[in-house]
Amino acid sequence: MRIRLAVTTLALAAALTAGAALPAAAATPASSAPAAANPTVQDILDRLPDDVVAGALVRRDGVVATAGPVTADAHVRIGSVTKAFTNTVVLQLVAEHRIGLDTPARRYVPQVLPEAYDRVTVRQLLDHTSGLPRPARTPGPADGPGWQLESVTPEDFLRDSFAAVTDAPPAPGSEQQYNGLNSFVLGLIVEKVTGHSFADELQRRIIRPLRLRHTSLPAADDPTIPSPHAEVYLEGQDVTEQSPYPWAEGGMISTAADLDRFITALFRGRLLPPAQQKLVFETPNVKSAAGNTNCVGQQACYSIGGLLRHQLPSGEYVWGKTGSRPGWDNGVFATRNLRHRVVYSLNPTGTGNDLPYIKAIVNAAFAGPRAVSGAAALDR
């Protein structure tokens, strides 16, 4: 049964811009030692699990460590990290001259975008300057048992979101507002110009060439996740099985090793020719919208490649993407020269805020020569 469901728009990037320190609650009986002023990733993991985070997995420069009932090779629902895959597929089609970067998106999918958005280009969908409306509400635990299994088609989801618009849209390209609707439209454009499903194009263009054997975009009616995986709970309810309805916006499943391989290949230019590779790190010269909590200050921070530019306390920039689904908060970041890379996945319980944990892990991962100790190196 198909039930109306809107996209999850929680932005974990807010954790990276927040100034909060690692909560004192992280100091659980698992470790009686006082918290370090500048904790390493291992210090943070040694104090987990706790009431806020039930499990965690961190892979730094090919070395992995875990906390709680999580294995190093666990599958995770990567949420909005999917957007980096989606944008890469679109840029490949741009390189093949099958999609025009500055072509109005409505030319490809007129049945999806209303006439009010006829000036929105593919570039503006990629870099979140399209001005598309806010998505509709997403069901949660308050909606009763089974809420996590509810689903909707991309076309119906977009139709419902546009139907709720009451204000005139902002001028395309005038500001950056992170919005998952962009990715739904991009996925439909891919299907239109290729004649294949978006999942098939992902397989052909990224998953198979990179040998990402544990990465997939599940079918719309498949709520399962391959083993091994954590059993995840939100406010006491088992949500391990859930609808992959976010699709091109956030429906993929992967592992830390596969995400590490993907970000490495992307940064090394293995997936895109030089002209499009430059766009992976190109951010628009526009302001960040007032309601956008993802960017530090007033400047846009999302690139055409779908990556978030984050400035570390040292002043250095790293690039990557965050993503969440019920029971999982994930991210992958790397220095542009790949000197350091980190993939993390936390299993929040829903009883507290895990964003400070993410901030602490990301900052610790890029501080010092080796932030994770005593763990086995995995194949890249």
Side-chain angles (χ1 to χ4, degrees):
M1 179 174 64
R2 181 177 59 79
I3 303 175
R4 179 174 177 272
L5 185 65
V7 66
T8 300
T9 57
L10 174 63
L12 292 183
L16 305 179
T17 63
L22 187 66
T28 67
S31 174
S32 58
N38 296 298
T40 65
V41 170
Q42 193 64 58
D43 290 335
I44 298 166
L45 294 178
D46 284 345
R47 299 180 180 279
L48 295 175
D50 64 8
D51 292 341
V52 177
V53 176
L57 185 162
V58 179
R59 178 183 173 106
R60 181 192 189 263
D61 298 343
V63 178
V64 69
T66 65
V70 183
T71 61
D73 56 349
H75 292 79
V76 302
R77 298 187 187 274
I78 68 173
S80 288
V81 178
T82 301
K83 291 182 176 69
F85 288 80
T86 298
N87 284 34
T88 300
V89 170
V90 172
L91 287 176
Q92 288 178 343
L93 289 165
V94 169
E96 296 165 13
H97 305 290
R98 301 172 72 181
I99 292 178
L101 193 62
D102 294 307
T103 299
R106 196 167 184 270
R107 187 174 301 176
Y108 301 105
V109 286
Q111 76 283 9
V112 170
L113 288 173
E115 290 185 12
Y117 300 90
D118 61 359
R119 293 170 53 205
V120 172
T121 66
V122 172
R123 181 193 298 267
Q124 291 161 349
L125 295 173
L126 290 167
D127 67 13
H128 296 286
T129 61
S130 65
L132 296 191
R134 291 174 59 87
R137 174 185 174 273
T138 300
D143 293 299
W147 62 269
Q148 75 277 11
L149 300 174
E150 297 178 359
S151 186
V152 68
T153 67
E155 294 87 351
D156 285 349
F157 168 70
L158 287 163
R159 188 177 303 113
D160 291 343
S161 297
F162 286 119
V165 175
T166 57
D167 299 325
S174 62
E175 62 182 20
Q176 186 176 74
Q177 175 63 67
Y178 180 76
N179 189 339
L181 289 188
N182 295 310
S183 299
F184 277 89
V185 178
L186 290 169
L188 292 172
I189 290 175
V190 169
E191 293 193 333
K192 182 68 172 182
V193 301
T194 65
H196 303 138
S197 72
F198 180 72
D200 285 347
E201 289 298 307
L202 269 179
Q203 283 285 341
R204 185 173 73 85
R205 294 172 173 275
I206 298 178
I207 294 174
R208 282 201 297 269
L210 296 185
R211 299 181 182 178
L212 305 181
R213 297 185 178 92
H214 305 288
T215 298
S216 65
L217 177 61
D221 60 352
D222 183 4
T224 63
I225 181 170
S227 294
H229 59 75
E231 298 292 330
V232 299
Y233 295 81
L234 195 62
E235 297 185 11
Q237 182 178 353
D238 188 341
V239 295
T240 308
E241 292 198 350
Q242 55 187 261
S243 169
Y245 83 91
W247 190 54
E249 187 269 339
M252 292 180 68
I253 291 171
S254 191
T255 63
D258 274 10
L259 290 178
D260 193 2
R261 185 185 292 267
F262 167 70
I263 201 74
T264 299
L266 179 63
F267 281 31
R268 285 180 176 166
R270 289 182 54 194
L271 294 170
L272 295 167
Q276 286 69 43
Q277 182 67 19
K278 292 179 181 179
L279 301 177
V280 170
F281 302 99
E282 182 176 308
T283 57
N285 185 25
V286 299
K287 66 178 181 179
S288 180
N292 191 3
T293 60
N294 308 325
C295 303
V296 176
Q298 299 181 348
Q299 195 66 22
C301 66
Y302 279 99
S303 72
I304 296 174
L307 301 181
L308 167 67
R309 181 187 62 205
H310 168 60
Q311 188 172 22
L312 299 169
S314 65
E316 183 178 17
Y317 285 103
V318 293
W319 296 81
K321 189 68 188 74
T322 59
S324 67
R325 293 296 294 139
W328 282 276
D329 285 343
N330 321 288
V332 53
F333 284 90
T335 54
R336 189 164 174 175
N337 62 6
L338 293 172
R339 186 179 73 256
H340 290 306
R341 314 175 311 279
V342 65
V343 182
Y344 67 82
S345 180
L346 272 59
N347 302 127
T349 64
T351 60
N353 183 6
D354 68 335
L355 300 187
Y357 296 71
I358 297 171
K359 172 183 168 62
I361 287 171
V362 171
N363 289 340
F366 290 102
R370 178 62 59 185
V372 178
S373 60
L378 299 182
D379 292 339
R380 293 185 181 178

